[in-house]
Amino acid sequence: MTAQHPSSPAGFTGDASPYGGGDPYADYRTADFAFAQYADLADRRLGAGVVAANDEFFAQRENLLVPERAEFDPEHFGHKGKIMDGWETRRRRGASAGHPWPTDEDHDWALVRLGAPGVIRGIVVDTAHFRGNYPQSVSVEGASVAGSPSPEELLADDVKWTTLVPRTPVGGHAANGFAVSAEQRFTHLRVNQHPDGGIARLRVYGEVAPDPEWLSALGTFDVVALENGGQVEDASDRFYSPATNTIQPGRSRKMDDGWETRRRRDQGHDWIRYRLVAQSRIRAIEIDTAYLKGNSAGWASVSVRDGENGEWTEVLPRTRLQPDTNHRFVLSAAAVGTHARVDIFPDGGISRLRLFGSLTEEGATRLAARHQELGG
């Protein structure tokens, strides 16, 4: 079953010029997408994966979710031809010499499991370096399937797929962006390219919509973690790395896997503001500066507020931080709130912020109502 839902494209179409040497990104076409402020639900760090594809003759489907931008080596060839950093299928052919062209219905597909179920705000189908071998058009569908379905289960006739991006022409060597307005919770995507070709990267921006039953079973958990439904609302500086890194799963494994600001030359300080999964009772805090050795924040404080217009209450006073260290603090009294803010002094960075607690009765009720509203 397939339902329709509108989207709006960036508008890139047509071939890019053949690669002529030098910086391969010099003629890359892109745009500023408003929805890119949200987290990438198809991030491998969240557990996303490309679980199946009908064809990956020239380049593997897993490349779609590599976090770094696609690379291009003009001399890199293998036994099957040019090796591309993306997902690329073979050229489709028609049924006979009298009709050697593919039909209008012919297409290739890949199934993507989102790292965290959520509401999708925008999708980028990136054809970087696919200049004359990109798909003529693409379409994207979403489904919400409980548990851990196999590819065969996802392809079954009883799965309801909602069209998030209708079949739309795209351009080669370009970031083709589509705003999505489906107010539903999705767990999987089906990415279609018509009739064949290559896609370098897929980015799926949105808001995590967690399962209230799972969080209830956990009891105490990280109420600001991205995978649990927390999100970054704003930050004073994103010069070196995104603030969303601070609520990614696991510990940071390198310097740019955290949040680092430019060097301040004034008497100010930097900060990140977060929205918690729902109203929560916070009992403990972790501030990690892993891999930030000569550039960690000097001091940090944490504040909480209850509601959009609530007053900020400092729950962790300004505290000295050590480089490359995980700092743990148990609060003397639980702090209740819906939002949190970490302030660092004067600049630098942290790799992770963890706020351990549990949902209040009001928070659990509102989260359950939202889950039902989204079709969860």
Side-chain angles (χ1 to χ4, degrees):
M1 298 175 62
T2 301
Q4 296 288 327
H5 215 284
S7 67
S8 56
F12 299 119
T13 56
D15 292 349
S17 300
Y19 175 63
D23 178 7
Y25 274 101
D27 59 341
Y28 175 68
R29 294 176 287 177
T30 188
D32 291 328
F33 303 116
F35 53 72
Q37 64 178 298
Y38 296 100
D40 182 6
L41 303 183
D43 194 320
R44 284 289 300 170
R45 289 174 293 180
L46 280 175
V50 186
V51 299
N54 71 308
D55 187 309
E56 47 186 331
F57 186 85
F58 286 115
Q60 296 176 332
R61 65 182 191 261
E62 287 86 358
N63 290 333
L64 283 172
L65 305 188
V66 171
E68 295 79 20
R69 71 177 188 173
E71 296 181 352
F72 180 72
D73 182 351
E75 306 299 325
H76 198 190
F77 286 83
H79 295 295
K80 294 182 180 180
K82 181 73 183 71
I83 296 177
M84 296 293 289
D85 185 7
W87 168 50
E88 185 181 6
T89 65
R90 72 194 81 197
R91 300 187 187 215
R92 281 185 171 270
R93 300 300 187 216
S96 65
H99 201 286
W101 309 279
T103 69
D104 191 55
E105 292 76 29
D106 286 341
H107 68 279
D108 293 318
W109 53 264
L111 296 176
V112 176
R113 179 191 65 242
L114 297 180
V119 181
I120 298 169
R121 302 303 184 192
I123 296 173
V124 174
V125 178
D126 191 344
T127 58
H129 315 304
F130 289 93
R131 296 169 176 268
N133 52 343
Y134 59 94
Q136 181 183 25
S137 59
V138 300
S139 61
V140 182
E141 301 160 278
S144 183
V145 183
S148 304
S150 67
E152 293 75 20
E153 290 170 322
L154 290 170
L155 295 170
D157 293 338
D158 61 344
V159 174
K160 177 185 176 182
W161 290 93
T162 298
T163 300
L164 305 179
V165 179
R167 184 170 175 175
T168 307
V170 294
H173 196 43
N176 300 277
F178 305 88
V180 177
S181 56
E183 200 69 18
Q184 300 175 44
R185 181 180 186 267
F186 295 104
T187 61
H188 294 78
L189 297 184
R190 184 163 62 188
V191 181
N192 306 303
Q193 51 177 338
H194 310 263
D196 54 37
I199 298 170
R201 297 288 188 268
L202 177 74
R203 303 294 185 236
V204 184
Y205 296 100
E207 301 173 69
V208 175
D211 182 352
E213 186 177 358
W214 174 253
L215 296 183
S216 176
L218 292 180
T220 297
F221 59 93
D222 182 359
V223 298
V224 77
L226 181 60
E227 61 187 325
N228 293 334
Q231 66 177 265
V232 168
E233 287 193 329
D234 201 2
S236 61
D237 189 294
R238 297 179 174 89
F239 189 82
Y240 286 113
S241 47
T244 301
N245 281 351
T246 60
I247 54 175
Q248 288 281 4
R251 294 199 72 197
S252 174
R253 289 176 289 182
K254 53 181 181 174
M255 190 175 74
D256 66 350
D257 189 21
W259 172 60
E260 182 188 358
T261 71
R262 74 192 82 193
R263 299 188 188 210
R264 277 191 171 268
R265 304 305 187 197
D266 58 22
Q267 298 299 305
H269 73 281
D270 289 311
W271 51 267
I272 307 175
R273 187 177 75 244
Y274 304 89
R275 189 178 75 193
L276 310 183
V277 55
Q279 188 188 65
S280 304
R281 187 172 286 104
I282 302 167
R283 301 183 184 88
I285 297 173
E286 280 189 4
I287 301 176
D288 196 351
T289 59
Y291 289 94
L292 296 165
K293 299 181 178 181
N295 50 354
S296 67
W299 291 262
S301 65
V302 176
S303 301
V304 171
R305 79 177 182 196
D306 192 22
E308 294 289 343
N309 300 313
E311 294 292 327
W312 288 106
T313 300
E314 190 175 71
V315 297
L316 179 70
R318 194 179 304 186
T319 302
R320 187 74 169 96
L321 299 182
Q322 299 300 319
D324 195 26
T325 301
N326 191 25
H327 309 77
R328 290 179 169 175
F329 310 94
V330 177
L331 301 184
S332 58
V336 174
T338 57
H339 295 72
R341 191 184 72 223
V342 60
D343 294 89
I344 63 170
F345 302 87
D347 56 22
I350 61 173
S351 61
R352 295 291 188 271
L353 174 72
R354 304 298 188 206
L355 303 178
F356 294 104
S358 57
L359 298 179
T360 64
E361 185 176 350
E362 177 184 335
T365 299
R366 291 191 177 186
L367 187 65
R370 176 65 172 159
H371 186 68
Q372 185 174 14
E373 178 185 328
L374 295 173

